[in-house]
Amino acid sequence: MKILVPVKRVIDYNVKVRVKSDNSGVELANVKMSMNPFDEIAIEEAIHIKEAGNAEEIIAVSIGPAQAQETLRTALAMGADRAILVKTDSEVGPLPVAKILKAIVEQEGPEIVLMGKQAIDDDCNQTGQMLAALLGWGQGTFASEVKMDGGSVNVTREIDGGLETLKLTLPAVITSDLRLNEPRYASLPNIMKAKRKPLEEKTPDDYGVDISARTKTLKVEEPDGRSAGVIVENVSELVSKLRDEAGVI
């Protein structure tokens, strides 16, 4: 069985994001980039499945600029077997990404697509669901536990107020949540081995997908700073401020 894991190159989650002076987007120049954290979790879970003897190959896929090779090499160092970079310098929305992934799935024939539930740069949380719809596959989103069960997979997912367990017949699309696992650090020997693992370069045209933008970002602004809090003397004063000043009751 093959597992396909899409990964995205994003601003490192430890970096404070800065808005460009013209409000056209966020500053990317000289900013540390890394793999989307939810995608790291997806790679780790794919490795768990393979280590348990339920998969033979893990294929990492990224859609982005040439620098996304670094992200793919990280996935290979963690334990993926080979990688595919769909090279483009254009910003690609969730639907074109899903269409490209669909074409790759049809070409590679994986039984599971395991991916992060969302990317931390645009927070769209759409690609997994769109891909499942395009393929006509079952889907388990926000997975906090994944257990293989022969020709099916049990996915425990986080919902409002509790957990829900789904049994999906393979093939299926699964999107990972934060509590699914703790991603491993790539060891130095594995980083060196990753340099020799195959990494294939493609373009969106190779898959016949139009990546023209369907949405346009009009303006990006930082949120307003929080005002200082105040100390109240008693409950009556608190209620008064909540009612008369904050207007929340």
Side-chain angles (χ1 to χ4, degrees):
M1 181 177 78
K2 293 181 183 179
I3 302 176
L4 187 76
V5 186
V7 298
K8 187 176 184 181
R9 179 177 181 265
V10 299
I11 296 176
D12 189 271
Y13 68 93
N14 287 311
V15 173
K16 177 174 170 48
V17 177
R18 292 179 292 112
V19 176
K20 290 182 178 179
S21 57
D22 61 359
N23 296 107
S24 62
V26 297
E27 190 61 64
L28 298 179
N30 301 315
V31 173
K32 181 183 178 184
M33 308 292 282
S34 62
M35 187 188 302
N36 179 49
F38 292 105
D39 299 341
E40 278 189 308
I41 293 168
I43 284 283
E44 181 66 27
E45 194 62 28
I47 296 167
H48 288 181
I49 294 171
K50 183 182 177 183
E51 289 176 342
N54 293 313
E56 297 174 353
E57 186 179 35
I58 300 169
I59 307 166
V61 179
S62 190
I63 301 167
Q67 296 91 324
Q69 284 192 30
E70 300 167 11
T71 306
L72 288 171
R73 291 295 179 195
T74 300
L76 293 170
M78 289 176 68
D81 298 291
R82 59 188 175 94
I84 300 170
L85 171 61
V86 183
K87 191 174 174 182
T88 175
D89 291 322
S90 302
E91 185 175 344
V92 187
L95 182 57
V97 168
K99 289 180 177 180
I100 292 171
L101 293 176
K102 175 180 181 286
I104 294 173
V105 166
E106 291 172 344
Q107 193 174 83
E108 296 290 343
E111 291 194 59
I112 295 177
V113 177
L114 188 50
M115 61 199 301
K117 68 172 185 176
Q118 65 195 77
I120 62 171
D121 53 359
D122 55 22
D123 278 328
C124 283
N125 180 22
Q126 296 174 346
T127 305
Q129 294 89 327
M130 288 177 172
L131 177 61
L134 290 171
L135 290 170
W137 290 7
Q139 60 177 303
T141 56
F142 313 113
S144 60
E145 187 178 20
V146 175
K147 287 186 177 180
M148 300 303 300
D149 185 13
S152 60
V153 57
N154 295 327
V155 176
T156 300
R157 59 191 301 268
E158 300 186 353
I159 59 174
D160 289 343
L163 300 173
E164 176 184 65
T165 301
L166 304 175
K167 184 170 185 176
L168 306 175
T169 301
L170 298 179
V173 176
I174 301 170
T175 70
S176 62
D177 212 336
L178 281 175
R179 280 160 288 280
L180 181 55
N181 59 52
E182 184 71 30
R184 68 191 66 190
Y185 288 102
S187 65
L188 182 58
N190 286 339
I191 292 172
M192 300 305 293
K193 289 177 184 177
K195 294 180 180 179
R196 298 190 296 272
K197 289 183 178 180
L199 193 159
E200 185 180 4
E201 284 195 13
K202 296 281 191 176
T203 67
D205 290 339
D206 292 331
Y207 298 106
V209 177
D210 176 16
I211 61 170
S212 301
R214 291 167 171 78
T215 60
K216 181 180 179 182
T217 301
L218 300 179
K219 193 175 185 182
V220 176
E221 293 181 303
E222 289 195 30
D224 294 332
R226 295 180 63 178
S227 56
V230 295
I231 298 175
V232 296
E233 297 293 334
N234 50 53
V235 174
S236 298
E237 186 181 354
L238 172 62
V239 173
S240 175
K241 285 184 176 295
L242 290 174
R243 183 183 61 242
D244 302 330
E245 295 182 20
V248 295
I249 61 173

